[in-house]
Short mmCIF file of all heavy atoms in Angstrom, two decimals:
data_model
loop_
_atom_site.label_atom_id
_atom_site.label_comp_id
_atom_site.label_asym_id
_atom_site.label_seq_id
_atom_site.Cartn_x
_atom_site.Cartn_y
_atom_site.Cartn_z
N MET A 19 185.31 172.82 -50.74
CA MET A 19 186.05 174.04 -51.01
C MET A 19 185.69 174.50 -52.42
O MET A 19 185.82 173.74 -53.38
CB MET A 19 187.55 173.76 -50.90
CG MET A 19 188.36 174.91 -51.34
SD MET A 19 190.14 174.96 -51.05
CE MET A 19 190.76 173.39 -50.87
N PRO A 20 185.26 175.73 -52.56
CA PRO A 20 184.93 176.25 -53.88
C PRO A 20 186.19 176.33 -54.77
O PRO A 20 187.32 176.45 -54.29
CB PRO A 20 184.37 177.65 -53.61
CG PRO A 20 184.04 177.67 -52.18
CD PRO A 20 184.90 176.66 -51.51
N ARG A 21 185.95 176.28 -56.04
CA ARG A 21 187.05 176.28 -57.01
C ARG A 21 187.86 177.58 -56.96
O ARG A 21 189.06 177.59 -57.19
CB ARG A 21 186.47 176.08 -58.40
CG ARG A 21 187.50 176.12 -59.49
CD ARG A 21 186.90 175.82 -60.81
NE ARG A 21 187.09 174.42 -61.08
CZ ARG A 21 186.64 173.76 -62.09
NH1 ARG A 21 185.90 174.37 -62.97
NH2 ARG A 21 186.88 172.50 -62.26
N GLU A 22 187.23 178.69 -56.66
CA GLU A 22 187.92 179.98 -56.64
C GLU A 22 188.94 180.07 -55.51
O GLU A 22 189.91 180.81 -55.61
CB GLU A 22 186.92 181.13 -56.51
CG GLU A 22 186.03 181.33 -57.73
CD GLU A 22 184.87 180.34 -57.76
OE1 GLU A 22 184.48 179.85 -56.69
OE2 GLU A 22 184.38 180.07 -58.87
N GLU A 23 188.75 179.32 -54.44
CA GLU A 23 189.67 179.39 -53.30
C GLU A 23 190.91 178.53 -53.50
O GLU A 23 191.90 178.72 -52.81
CB GLU A 23 188.94 178.96 -52.03
CG GLU A 23 187.87 179.92 -51.61
CD GLU A 23 187.18 179.43 -50.35
OE1 GLU A 23 187.72 178.53 -49.67
OE2 GLU A 23 186.08 179.94 -50.05
N TYR A 24 190.86 177.57 -54.41
CA TYR A 24 192.00 176.67 -54.61
C TYR A 24 193.13 177.40 -55.31
O TYR A 24 192.94 178.11 -56.28
CB TYR A 24 191.58 175.46 -55.44
CG TYR A 24 192.74 174.52 -55.70
CD1 TYR A 24 193.20 173.67 -54.71
CD2 TYR A 24 193.37 174.49 -56.93
CE1 TYR A 24 194.26 172.82 -54.94
CE2 TYR A 24 194.42 173.65 -57.17
CZ TYR A 24 194.87 172.81 -56.18
OH TYR A 24 195.92 171.97 -56.41
N GLN A 25 194.35 177.22 -54.78
CA GLN A 25 195.54 177.78 -55.40
C GLN A 25 196.53 176.66 -55.65
O GLN A 25 196.71 175.77 -54.81
CB GLN A 25 196.16 178.84 -54.49
CG GLN A 25 195.29 180.07 -54.32
CD GLN A 25 195.96 181.10 -53.45
OE1 GLN A 25 197.07 180.90 -52.99
NE2 GLN A 25 195.27 182.19 -53.21
N VAL A 26 197.18 176.72 -56.78
CA VAL A 26 198.14 175.70 -57.16
C VAL A 26 199.37 175.84 -56.26
O VAL A 26 199.88 176.95 -56.07
CB VAL A 26 198.55 175.86 -58.64
CG1 VAL A 26 199.60 174.84 -59.03
CG2 VAL A 26 197.33 175.78 -59.53
N PRO A 27 199.85 174.75 -55.65
CA PRO A 27 201.02 174.85 -54.79
C PRO A 27 202.25 175.24 -55.60
O PRO A 27 202.46 174.78 -56.71
CB PRO A 27 201.18 173.44 -54.20
CG PRO A 27 200.21 172.58 -54.90
CD PRO A 27 199.31 173.41 -55.70
N THR A 28 203.06 176.12 -55.01
CA THR A 28 204.29 176.56 -55.68
C THR A 28 205.47 176.23 -54.80
O THR A 28 205.35 176.05 -53.59
CB THR A 28 204.26 178.08 -55.92
OG1 THR A 28 204.11 178.73 -54.67
CG2 THR A 28 203.14 178.47 -56.85
N GLY A 29 206.63 176.13 -55.41
CA GLY A 29 207.85 175.86 -54.65
C GLY A 29 208.13 174.40 -54.42
O GLY A 29 209.24 174.01 -54.10
N ALA A 30 207.14 173.54 -54.56
CA ALA A 30 207.35 172.11 -54.37
C ALA A 30 207.90 171.52 -55.67
O ALA A 30 207.39 171.80 -56.74
CB ALA A 30 206.05 171.43 -53.98
N PRO A 31 208.95 170.73 -55.57
CA PRO A 31 209.49 170.14 -56.79
C PRO A 31 208.52 169.10 -57.35
O PRO A 31 207.90 168.34 -56.62
CB PRO A 31 210.80 169.48 -56.33
CG PRO A 31 210.60 169.22 -54.88
CD PRO A 31 209.70 170.33 -54.38
N SER A 32 208.39 169.13 -58.65
CA SER A 32 207.50 168.15 -59.27
C SER A 32 208.26 166.85 -59.45
O SER A 32 209.37 166.84 -59.98
CB SER A 32 207.00 168.67 -60.62
OG SER A 32 208.10 168.83 -61.49
N THR A 33 207.70 165.79 -58.99
CA THR A 33 208.36 164.49 -59.10
C THR A 33 207.66 163.68 -60.16
O THR A 33 206.44 163.65 -60.23
CB THR A 33 208.31 163.73 -57.76
OG1 THR A 33 206.95 163.57 -57.39
CG2 THR A 33 209.06 164.48 -56.69
N THR A 34 208.46 163.03 -61.01
CA THR A 34 207.88 162.16 -62.02
C THR A 34 208.09 160.73 -61.58
O THR A 34 209.16 160.36 -61.11
CB THR A 34 208.53 162.38 -63.39
OG1 THR A 34 209.93 162.16 -63.26
CG2 THR A 34 208.30 163.79 -63.87
N ARG A 35 207.07 159.96 -61.72
CA ARG A 35 207.16 158.56 -61.34
C ARG A 35 207.29 157.73 -62.60
O ARG A 35 206.72 158.04 -63.63
CB ARG A 35 205.92 158.16 -60.55
CG ARG A 35 205.87 158.87 -59.24
CD ARG A 35 204.68 158.56 -58.41
NE ARG A 35 203.79 157.52 -58.88
CZ ARG A 35 202.75 157.09 -58.22
NH1 ARG A 35 202.47 157.62 -57.08
NH2 ARG A 35 201.99 156.15 -58.70
N GLY A 36 208.04 156.65 -62.50
CA GLY A 36 208.20 155.77 -63.65
C GLY A 36 209.27 156.28 -64.58
O GLY A 36 210.07 157.16 -64.26
N ASN A 37 209.28 155.75 -65.77
CA ASN A 37 210.28 156.12 -66.76
C ASN A 37 209.79 157.30 -67.57
O ASN A 37 208.65 157.36 -67.99
CB ASN A 37 210.56 154.95 -67.70
CG ASN A 37 211.20 153.80 -66.97
OD1 ASN A 37 211.87 154.00 -65.98
ND2 ASN A 37 210.98 152.60 -67.47
N THR A 38 210.68 158.24 -67.80
CA THR A 38 210.35 159.33 -68.68
C THR A 38 210.81 158.97 -70.08
O THR A 38 211.54 158.01 -70.29
CB THR A 38 211.04 160.63 -68.23
OG1 THR A 38 212.45 160.44 -68.25
CG2 THR A 38 210.60 161.01 -66.83
N ARG A 39 210.42 159.72 -71.03
CA ARG A 39 210.78 159.44 -72.42
C ARG A 39 212.28 159.54 -72.63
O ARG A 39 212.86 158.79 -73.41
CB ARG A 39 210.05 160.41 -73.34
CG ARG A 39 210.18 160.08 -74.80
CD ARG A 39 209.27 160.96 -75.61
NE ARG A 39 207.88 160.62 -75.41
CZ ARG A 39 207.14 159.96 -76.27
NH1 ARG A 39 207.65 159.58 -77.39
NH2 ARG A 39 205.89 159.69 -76.02
N ASP A 40 212.98 160.44 -71.94
CA ASP A 40 214.42 160.57 -72.07
C ASP A 40 215.14 159.34 -71.53
O ASP A 40 216.14 158.90 -72.10
CB ASP A 40 214.93 161.82 -71.35
CG ASP A 40 214.38 163.09 -71.99
OD1 ASP A 40 214.07 163.05 -73.21
OD2 ASP A 40 214.28 164.11 -71.29
N ASP A 41 214.64 158.77 -70.43
CA ASP A 41 215.26 157.57 -69.87
C ASP A 41 215.14 156.40 -70.83
O ASP A 41 216.08 155.64 -71.02
CB ASP A 41 214.60 157.20 -68.54
CG ASP A 41 214.90 158.21 -67.45
OD1 ASP A 41 215.86 158.98 -67.61
OD2 ASP A 41 214.16 158.23 -66.46
N VAL A 42 213.99 156.26 -71.44
CA VAL A 42 213.77 155.16 -72.37
C VAL A 42 214.64 155.34 -73.60
O VAL A 42 215.21 154.38 -74.11
CB VAL A 42 212.28 155.07 -72.75
CG1 VAL A 42 212.05 154.04 -73.84
CG2 VAL A 42 211.45 154.75 -71.52
N ALA A 43 214.78 156.57 -74.09
CA ALA A 43 215.60 156.81 -75.27
C ALA A 43 217.06 156.53 -75.00
O ALA A 43 217.77 156.01 -75.86
CB ALA A 43 215.42 158.26 -75.74
N SER A 44 217.54 156.85 -73.80
CA SER A 44 218.95 156.60 -73.52
C SER A 44 219.22 155.12 -73.33
O SER A 44 220.30 154.64 -73.61
CB SER A 44 219.39 157.37 -72.27
OG SER A 44 218.73 156.87 -71.14
N ARG A 45 218.22 154.35 -72.87
CA ARG A 45 218.41 152.92 -72.68
C ARG A 45 218.25 152.14 -73.97
O ARG A 45 218.70 151.02 -74.08
CB ARG A 45 217.45 152.38 -71.64
CG ARG A 45 217.91 152.68 -70.23
CD ARG A 45 217.07 151.95 -69.28
NE ARG A 45 215.76 152.62 -69.26
CZ ARG A 45 214.70 152.15 -68.66
NH1 ARG A 45 214.75 151.04 -68.01
NH2 ARG A 45 213.56 152.80 -68.69
N SER A 46 217.58 152.70 -74.96
CA SER A 46 217.33 151.96 -76.17
C SER A 46 218.55 151.93 -77.09
O SER A 46 218.52 151.28 -78.11
CB SER A 46 216.13 152.53 -76.92
OG SER A 46 216.42 153.83 -77.36
N VAL A 47 219.62 152.64 -76.76
CA VAL A 47 220.84 152.61 -77.55
C VAL A 47 221.72 151.48 -77.04
O VAL A 47 222.03 151.40 -75.86
CB VAL A 47 221.59 153.96 -77.46
CG1 VAL A 47 222.90 153.89 -78.18
CG2 VAL A 47 220.73 155.07 -78.00
N MET A 48 222.08 150.57 -77.93
CA MET A 48 222.93 149.43 -77.59
C MET A 48 224.25 149.53 -78.32
O MET A 48 224.32 150.11 -79.40
CB MET A 48 222.24 148.11 -77.97
CG MET A 48 221.00 147.81 -77.18
SD MET A 48 221.31 147.44 -75.47
CE MET A 48 222.31 146.00 -75.61
N THR A 49 225.29 148.94 -77.75
CA THR A 49 226.61 148.94 -78.35
C THR A 49 226.92 147.54 -78.87
O THR A 49 226.74 146.55 -78.16
CB THR A 49 227.67 149.36 -77.33
OG1 THR A 49 227.28 150.62 -76.78
CG2 THR A 49 229.02 149.52 -77.98
N TYR A 50 227.37 147.47 -80.10
CA TYR A 50 227.70 146.22 -80.76
C TYR A 50 229.12 146.28 -81.29
O TYR A 50 229.68 147.36 -81.44
CB TYR A 50 226.74 145.95 -81.92
CG TYR A 50 225.30 145.82 -81.49
CD1 TYR A 50 224.45 146.92 -81.51
CD2 TYR A 50 224.78 144.61 -81.09
CE1 TYR A 50 223.13 146.80 -81.12
CE2 TYR A 50 223.46 144.48 -80.70
CZ TYR A 50 222.65 145.59 -80.72
OH TYR A 50 221.33 145.48 -80.33
N LEU A 51 229.69 145.11 -81.60
CA LEU A 51 231.01 145.03 -82.22
C LEU A 51 230.83 144.56 -83.66
O LEU A 51 230.11 143.58 -83.92
CB LEU A 51 231.90 144.04 -81.47
CG LEU A 51 232.29 144.44 -80.05
CD1 LEU A 51 233.05 143.31 -79.38
CD2 LEU A 51 233.12 145.70 -80.08
N CYS A 52 231.49 145.24 -84.59
CA CYS A 52 231.39 144.87 -85.99
C CYS A 52 232.19 143.59 -86.23
O CYS A 52 233.31 143.44 -85.76
CB CYS A 52 231.92 146.00 -86.87
SG CYS A 52 231.89 145.60 -88.62
N GLY A 53 231.61 142.66 -86.99
CA GLY A 53 232.27 141.40 -87.28
C GLY A 53 233.37 141.54 -88.31
O GLY A 53 234.29 140.72 -88.37
N ASP A 54 233.32 142.57 -89.15
CA ASP A 54 234.31 142.75 -90.20
C ASP A 54 235.52 143.58 -89.74
O ASP A 54 236.66 143.14 -89.84
CB ASP A 54 233.68 143.41 -91.42
CG ASP A 54 232.67 142.51 -92.09
OD1 ASP A 54 232.75 141.28 -91.91
OD2 ASP A 54 231.78 143.05 -92.79
N CYS A 55 235.27 144.78 -89.22
CA CYS A 55 236.39 145.66 -88.86
C CYS A 55 236.67 145.69 -87.36
O CYS A 55 237.70 146.20 -86.94
CB CYS A 55 236.14 147.07 -89.38
SG CYS A 55 234.77 147.93 -88.62
N GLY A 56 235.77 145.19 -86.52
CA GLY A 56 235.99 145.12 -85.08
C GLY A 56 235.73 146.42 -84.35
O GLY A 56 236.03 146.52 -83.15
N SER A 57 235.18 147.42 -84.99
CA SER A 57 234.92 148.69 -84.31
C SER A 57 233.64 148.61 -83.49
O SER A 57 232.78 147.75 -83.70
CB SER A 57 234.82 149.83 -85.33
OG SER A 57 233.72 149.62 -86.17
N SER A 58 233.50 149.52 -82.55
CA SER A 58 232.34 149.59 -81.69
C SER A 58 231.27 150.43 -82.37
O SER A 58 231.54 151.52 -82.86
CB SER A 58 232.73 150.20 -80.35
OG SER A 58 231.61 150.27 -79.51
N VAL A 59 230.04 149.91 -82.42
CA VAL A 59 228.94 150.57 -83.11
C VAL A 59 227.79 150.75 -82.13
O VAL A 59 227.38 149.79 -81.48
CB VAL A 59 228.47 149.73 -84.32
CG1 VAL A 59 227.31 150.40 -85.03
CG2 VAL A 59 229.61 149.47 -85.27
N SER A 60 227.26 151.97 -82.02
CA SER A 60 226.09 152.24 -81.18
C SER A 60 224.88 152.36 -82.08
O SER A 60 224.87 153.17 -83.00
CB SER A 60 226.28 153.53 -80.39
OG SER A 60 227.34 153.39 -79.49
N LEU A 61 223.86 151.56 -81.81
CA LEU A 61 222.65 151.58 -82.63
C LEU A 61 221.44 151.87 -81.77
O LEU A 61 221.32 151.37 -80.65
CB LEU A 61 222.45 150.23 -83.32
CG LEU A 61 223.47 149.82 -84.36
CD1 LEU A 61 223.13 148.46 -84.90
CD2 LEU A 61 223.54 150.83 -85.47
N GLY A 62 220.54 152.66 -82.31
CA GLY A 62 219.28 152.95 -81.65
C GLY A 62 218.24 151.91 -82.00
O GLY A 62 218.52 150.92 -82.68
N LYS A 63 217.03 152.15 -81.56
CA LYS A 63 215.96 151.18 -81.73
C LYS A 63 215.60 150.97 -83.20
O LYS A 63 215.40 149.86 -83.65
CB LYS A 63 214.74 151.66 -80.95
CG LYS A 63 213.58 150.73 -81.01
CD LYS A 63 212.44 151.27 -80.17
CE LYS A 63 211.23 150.38 -80.27
NZ LYS A 63 210.10 150.94 -79.55
N ASP A 64 215.51 152.03 -83.97
CA ASP A 64 215.08 151.94 -85.36
C ASP A 64 216.22 152.16 -86.35
O ASP A 64 215.98 152.47 -87.51
CB ASP A 64 213.97 152.95 -85.63
CG ASP A 64 212.73 152.66 -84.81
OD1 ASP A 64 212.48 151.47 -84.55
OD2 ASP A 64 212.02 153.61 -84.44
N ALA A 65 217.46 151.99 -85.91
CA ALA A 65 218.61 152.26 -86.77
C ALA A 65 218.84 151.11 -87.74
O ALA A 65 218.46 149.96 -87.50
CB ALA A 65 219.85 152.47 -85.92
N LEU A 66 219.49 151.42 -88.84
CA LEU A 66 219.87 150.42 -89.83
C LEU A 66 220.99 149.57 -89.27
O LEU A 66 221.96 150.09 -88.72
CB LEU A 66 220.34 151.12 -91.11
CG LEU A 66 220.80 150.23 -92.25
CD1 LEU A 66 219.61 149.45 -92.79
CD2 LEU A 66 221.42 151.07 -93.33
N VAL A 67 220.87 148.25 -89.38
CA VAL A 67 221.87 147.34 -88.82
C VAL A 67 223.03 147.23 -89.80
O VAL A 67 223.03 146.37 -90.69
CB VAL A 67 221.26 145.96 -88.51
CG1 VAL A 67 222.32 145.03 -87.92
CG2 VAL A 67 220.10 146.09 -87.57
N ALA A 68 223.98 148.14 -89.67
CA ALA A 68 225.17 148.13 -90.51
C ALA A 68 226.22 148.99 -89.83
O ALA A 68 225.93 149.96 -89.16
CB ALA A 68 224.86 148.69 -91.89
N CYS A 69 227.49 148.61 -90.01
CA CYS A 69 228.60 149.37 -89.45
C CYS A 69 228.80 150.64 -90.27
O CYS A 69 228.87 150.58 -91.50
CB CYS A 69 229.86 148.51 -89.49
SG CYS A 69 231.34 149.37 -88.90
N PRO A 70 228.90 151.80 -89.63
CA PRO A 70 229.08 153.03 -90.40
C PRO A 70 230.49 153.16 -90.98
O PRO A 70 230.71 153.94 -91.89
CB PRO A 70 228.81 154.14 -89.37
CG PRO A 70 229.05 153.51 -88.06
CD PRO A 70 228.72 152.06 -88.21
N HIS A 71 231.43 152.37 -90.49
CA HIS A 71 232.82 152.47 -90.96
C HIS A 71 233.06 151.62 -92.20
O HIS A 71 233.67 152.08 -93.16
CB HIS A 71 233.78 152.05 -89.84
CG HIS A 71 233.54 152.79 -88.57
ND1 HIS A 71 233.85 154.12 -88.40
CD2 HIS A 71 233.00 152.39 -87.39
CE1 HIS A 71 233.53 154.51 -87.19
NE2 HIS A 71 232.99 153.47 -86.54
N CYS A 72 232.60 150.37 -92.19
CA CYS A 72 232.89 149.45 -93.29
C CYS A 72 231.64 148.92 -93.97
O CYS A 72 231.75 148.12 -94.89
CB CYS A 72 233.75 148.29 -92.79
SG CYS A 72 232.86 147.18 -91.69
N ALA A 73 230.48 149.31 -93.53
CA ALA A 73 229.19 148.86 -94.05
C ALA A 73 228.97 147.36 -93.83
O ALA A 73 228.17 146.74 -94.51
CB ALA A 73 229.02 149.22 -95.52
N GLY A 74 229.69 146.78 -92.88
CA GLY A 74 229.47 145.37 -92.55
C GLY A 74 228.15 145.19 -91.84
O GLY A 74 227.74 146.02 -91.04
N ARG A 75 227.46 144.11 -92.14
CA ARG A 75 226.13 143.90 -91.58
C ARG A 75 226.11 142.81 -90.52
O ARG A 75 225.05 142.39 -90.08
CB ARG A 75 225.15 143.60 -92.69
CG ARG A 75 225.03 144.76 -93.66
CD ARG A 75 224.05 144.52 -94.76
NE ARG A 75 222.71 144.27 -94.28
CZ ARG A 75 221.80 145.20 -93.98
NH1 ARG A 75 222.12 146.46 -94.11
NH2 ARG A 75 220.61 144.86 -93.57
N VAL A 76 227.27 142.33 -90.10
CA VAL A 76 227.35 141.33 -89.04
C VAL A 76 227.81 142.04 -87.77
O VAL A 76 228.96 142.49 -87.68
CB VAL A 76 228.32 140.18 -89.40
CG1 VAL A 76 228.44 139.21 -88.24
CG2 VAL A 76 227.87 139.49 -90.66
N LEU A 77 226.92 142.15 -86.80
CA LEU A 77 227.23 142.85 -85.55
C LEU A 77 227.01 141.90 -84.39
O LEU A 77 226.03 141.16 -84.36
CB LEU A 77 226.34 144.09 -85.39
CG LEU A 77 226.45 145.14 -86.48
CD1 LEU A 77 225.44 146.24 -86.22
CD2 LEU A 77 227.84 145.71 -86.57
N TYR A 78 227.94 141.90 -83.46
CA TYR A 78 227.87 141.05 -82.28
C TYR A 78 227.57 141.89 -81.06
O TYR A 78 228.15 142.96 -80.87
CB TYR A 78 229.18 140.30 -82.07
CG TYR A 78 229.53 139.37 -83.20
CD1 TYR A 78 230.50 139.71 -84.13
CD2 TYR A 78 228.88 138.16 -83.34
CE1 TYR A 78 230.82 138.87 -85.18
CE2 TYR A 78 229.18 137.30 -84.38
CZ TYR A 78 230.15 137.66 -85.29
OH TYR A 78 230.46 136.82 -86.32
N LYS A 79 226.67 141.40 -80.21
CA LYS A 79 226.33 142.10 -78.98
C LYS A 79 227.47 141.93 -77.98
O LYS A 79 228.01 140.83 -77.83
CB LYS A 79 225.04 141.53 -78.41
CG LYS A 79 224.44 142.35 -77.30
CD LYS A 79 223.08 141.80 -76.94
CE LYS A 79 222.46 142.61 -75.85
NZ LYS A 79 221.16 142.08 -75.46
N GLU A 80 227.84 143.02 -77.31
CA GLU A 80 228.91 142.95 -76.33
C GLU A 80 228.47 142.17 -75.10
O GLU A 80 227.29 142.13 -74.76
CB GLU A 80 229.34 144.36 -75.91
CG GLU A 80 230.07 145.11 -76.98
CD GLU A 80 230.57 146.45 -76.48
OE1 GLU A 80 230.09 146.95 -75.45
OE2 GLU A 80 231.47 146.99 -77.13
N ARG A 81 229.43 141.59 -74.43
CA ARG A 81 229.13 140.86 -73.19
C ARG A 81 228.76 141.83 -72.08
O ARG A 81 229.20 142.96 -72.05
CB ARG A 81 230.35 140.07 -72.73
CG ARG A 81 230.55 138.81 -73.46
CD ARG A 81 231.68 138.04 -72.83
NE ARG A 81 231.92 136.87 -73.64
CZ ARG A 81 232.03 135.65 -73.16
NH1 ARG A 81 231.96 135.46 -71.86
NH2 ARG A 81 232.22 134.64 -73.95
N THR A 82 227.99 141.32 -71.15
CA THR A 82 227.62 142.12 -69.99
C THR A 82 228.81 142.28 -69.06
O THR A 82 229.69 141.42 -69.01
CB THR A 82 226.43 141.48 -69.24
OG1 THR A 82 226.09 142.32 -68.15
CG2 THR A 82 226.77 140.10 -68.72
N LYS A 83 228.84 143.40 -68.34
CA LYS A 83 229.95 143.67 -67.44
C LYS A 83 229.61 143.27 -66.00
O LYS A 83 230.46 143.28 -65.14
CB LYS A 83 230.32 145.14 -67.50
CG LYS A 83 230.89 145.49 -68.86
CD LYS A 83 231.31 146.92 -68.93
CE LYS A 83 231.95 147.31 -70.21
NZ LYS A 83 231.45 146.76 -71.43
N ARG A 84 228.37 142.91 -65.75
CA ARG A 84 228.00 142.48 -64.40
C ARG A 84 228.30 141.00 -64.21
O ARG A 84 228.33 140.22 -65.16
CB ARG A 84 226.55 142.78 -64.11
CG ARG A 84 225.58 142.01 -64.93
CD ARG A 84 224.18 142.45 -64.61
NE ARG A 84 223.37 142.18 -65.77
CZ ARG A 84 222.19 141.59 -65.73
NH1 ARG A 84 221.66 141.26 -64.58
NH2 ARG A 84 221.52 141.35 -66.83
N MET A 85 228.49 140.64 -62.97
CA MET A 85 228.86 139.26 -62.66
C MET A 85 227.63 138.35 -62.83
O MET A 85 226.55 138.65 -62.33
CB MET A 85 229.37 139.15 -61.23
CG MET A 85 229.90 137.79 -60.90
SD MET A 85 230.51 137.66 -59.22
CE MET A 85 229.01 137.45 -58.33
N VAL A 86 227.82 137.26 -63.52
CA VAL A 86 226.77 136.27 -63.70
C VAL A 86 227.25 134.98 -63.07
O VAL A 86 228.33 134.48 -63.37
CB VAL A 86 226.47 136.06 -65.20
CG1 VAL A 86 225.38 135.02 -65.38
CG2 VAL A 86 226.06 137.36 -65.84
N GLN A 87 226.47 134.44 -62.16
CA GLN A 87 226.86 133.24 -61.44
C GLN A 87 225.73 132.22 -61.52
O GLN A 87 224.57 132.54 -61.29
CB GLN A 87 227.16 133.58 -59.98
CG GLN A 87 227.65 132.40 -59.18
CD GLN A 87 228.02 132.83 -57.76
OE1 GLN A 87 227.94 133.99 -57.40
NE2 GLN A 87 228.41 131.88 -56.96
N PHE A 88 226.08 130.99 -61.87
CA PHE A 88 225.11 129.92 -61.96
C PHE A 88 225.37 128.90 -60.89
O PHE A 88 226.51 128.66 -60.51
CB PHE A 88 225.19 129.24 -63.34
CG PHE A 88 224.86 130.16 -64.47
CD1 PHE A 88 225.87 130.74 -65.24
CD2 PHE A 88 223.55 130.48 -64.77
CE1 PHE A 88 225.57 131.59 -66.26
CE2 PHE A 88 223.25 131.32 -65.81
CZ PHE A 88 224.26 131.88 -66.55
N GLU A 89 224.32 128.29 -60.38
CA GLU A 89 224.45 127.26 -59.36
C GLU A 89 224.27 125.90 -60.03
O GLU A 89 223.22 125.60 -60.60
CB GLU A 89 223.38 127.45 -58.28
CG GLU A 89 223.50 126.45 -57.17
CD GLU A 89 222.46 126.70 -56.10
OE1 GLU A 89 222.05 127.86 -55.91
OE2 GLU A 89 222.04 125.72 -55.48
N ALA A 90 225.31 125.08 -59.99
CA ALA A 90 225.24 123.74 -60.59
C ALA A 90 224.75 122.74 -59.55
O ALA A 90 225.12 122.80 -58.40
CB ALA A 90 226.63 123.33 -61.09
N ARG A 91 223.94 121.83 -60.00
CA ARG A 91 223.41 120.84 -59.07
C ARG A 91 223.91 119.48 -59.46
O ARG A 91 224.11 119.11 -60.52
CB ARG A 91 221.90 120.83 -59.09
CG ARG A 91 221.36 122.07 -58.44
CD ARG A 91 219.85 121.98 -58.40
NE ARG A 91 219.39 123.17 -57.74
CZ ARG A 91 218.29 123.21 -57.04
NH1 ARG A 91 217.56 122.15 -56.91
NH2 ARG A 91 217.91 124.30 -56.46
#
């Protein structure tokens, strides 16, 4: 088929496969608990590790909310 006869399809939704940059950015934000004041702190990938409320630098990762089950032998 010659190049002049080809037409770009229209009306079909464009599907993206894999992770987009927005998905990765939203997942890279984690929530921590401040060790000094106990407030909840959201930090990004390259953020400074410090509480914005009290400037405490000890942050604890929150526990997961999904069920974790171990099999003992």
Side-chain angles (χ1 to χ4, degrees):
M19 173 169 23
R21 177 176 264 175
E22 292 80 25
E23 292 179 16
Y24 178 76
Q25 294 181 0
V26 178
T28 58
S32 63
T33 58
T34 57
R35 294 179 6 176
N37 295 332
T38 61
R39 189 172 290 256
D40 295 334
D41 292 341
V42 173
S44 66
R45 281 189 287 171
S46 65
V47 175
M48 293 292 298
T49 306
Y50 299 93
L51 293 174
C52 178
D54 293 337
C55 66
S57 64
S58 180
V59 179
S60 295
L61 294 178
K63 182 178 177 184
D64 296 328
L66 179 67
V67 180
C69 177
H71 307 289
C72 69
R75 298 181 60 85
V76 177
L77 300 176
Y78 298 104
K79 192 173 181 181
E80 289 185 342
R81 281 186 185 229
T82 182
K83 294 182 177 38
R84 66 184 154 134
M85 186 180 80
V86 179
Q87 183 176 357
F88 297 101
E89 182 178 330
R91 289 184 179 210

